[in-house]
Amino acid sequence: MNFEARSMPLTDFLFYFKLGWSHIVSLDALDHQLFILALVAVFTSKNLKQVLILVTAFTIGHSLTLLLSVLDIIRFSSKWIEFFIPCTIVITALVNLTKRKGTNYFLALVFGLIHGMGFANTIRMMLAKDQNIGWGLFGFNIGLEVGQIFFVFIILCVTWFFLSVIRIRQRDWIIFVSAAVFSLALQMALQRIPF
């Protein structure tokens, strides 16, 4: 596995970028989307900088797990990871329901580590055949971050619409979104109990 700074063809970068992008925006990425929705539910566009830092903390955790997995330093049972991922969503939604501030940066980083393990086996096999692992991971993580920022933008626009146009109180909006996310994630977790 080679981390040399060799040039990576643009097509390879775009391949991994699209893979990272689809990891957040595809129809198969519901658990990832629910987590981002729960993470951002307590914020408005006035908190954009804070939201972007929070999402980036999640991406850093996600990226670190992918790196350690590709280097074969860590491996976890996929059954347990598939169970823990909706548990992180449940916890994030509960934090929103119990306090106004929402998830902190450290928790977002830790939850990013767990979510990264969910995709680790797939990307490990793809990157193990690639001579430019560092660039592959870089392309994937840039795609993931851009996809998340895109999704955050949509969430903040919808939030603005409901708070400013429909005139729903922010606390009611947070409760509505977080309760819906909590319900879906709890159902996912119960369906994935590994024992």
Side-chain angles (χ1 to χ4, degrees):
M1 294 185 188
N2 191 354
F3 275 96
E4 290 178 27
R6 286 190 271 170
S7 63
M8 180 184 199
L10 182 60
T11 54
D12 289 349
F13 175 83
L14 290 175
F15 170 79
Y16 286 110
F17 179 91
K18 287 176 186 173
L19 193 62
W21 166 269
S22 66
H23 185 59
I24 178 67
V25 299
S26 78
L27 296 175
D28 296 331
L30 180 61
D31 53 357
H32 208 125
Q33 293 164 359
L34 287 174
F35 181 77
I36 297 297
L37 179 57
L39 201 62
V40 178
V42 298
F43 298 104
T44 65
S45 56
K46 294 174 186 173
N47 312 108
L48 184 60
K49 183 178 177 183
Q50 188 178 355
V51 171
L52 293 179
I53 293 170
L54 192 63
V55 169
T56 300
F58 175 77
T59 302
I60 290 168
H62 198 283
S63 305
L64 184 58
T65 304
L66 287 178
L67 175 64
L68 294 174
S69 176
V70 168
L71 294 176
D72 213 14
I73 294 171
I74 60 167
R75 282 198 187 202
F76 292 94
S77 164
S78 60
K79 286 182 180 180
W80 279 100
I81 296 305
E82 290 304 312
F83 170 68
F84 285 137
I85 287 173
C87 289
T88 65
I89 304 166
V90 166
I91 293 167
T92 305
L94 277 176
V95 168
N96 293 350
L97 291 168
T98 57
K99 65 176 192 173
R100 191 179 180 96
K101 272 181 132 180
T103 304
N104 63 33
Y105 303 120
F106 177 75
L107 205 53
L109 180 85
V110 171
F111 288 170
L113 291 169
I114 294 169
H115 281 247
M117 289 180 223
F119 198 69
N121 289 335
T122 304
I123 203 161
R124 182 192 302 117
M125 289 185 282
M126 295 175 81
L127 286 172
K129 301 171 188 172
D130 200 322
Q131 294 298 307
N132 290 297
I133 292 169
W135 283 110
L137 280 173
F138 178 71
F140 178 85
N141 289 314
I142 294 296
L144 176 75
E145 183 74 353
V146 170
Q148 288 180 155
I149 291 169
F150 173 76
F151 198 62
V152 164
F153 177 74
I154 290 171
I155 294 167
L156 292 177
C157 287
V158 170
T159 299
W160 173 85
F161 177 78
F162 278 97
L163 298 185
S164 300
V165 177
I166 306 288
R167 298 289 209 196
I168 292 176
R169 289 187 324 140
Q170 186 175 10
R171 188 63 196 155
D172 293 341
W173 173 252
I174 292 168
I175 290 169
F176 171 76
V177 171
S178 299
V181 169
F182 173 84
S183 300
L184 289 168
L186 183 60
Q187 183 180 4
M188 291 168 74
L190 292 173
Q191 290 171 346
R192 299 178 185 181
I193 291 175
F195 47 83

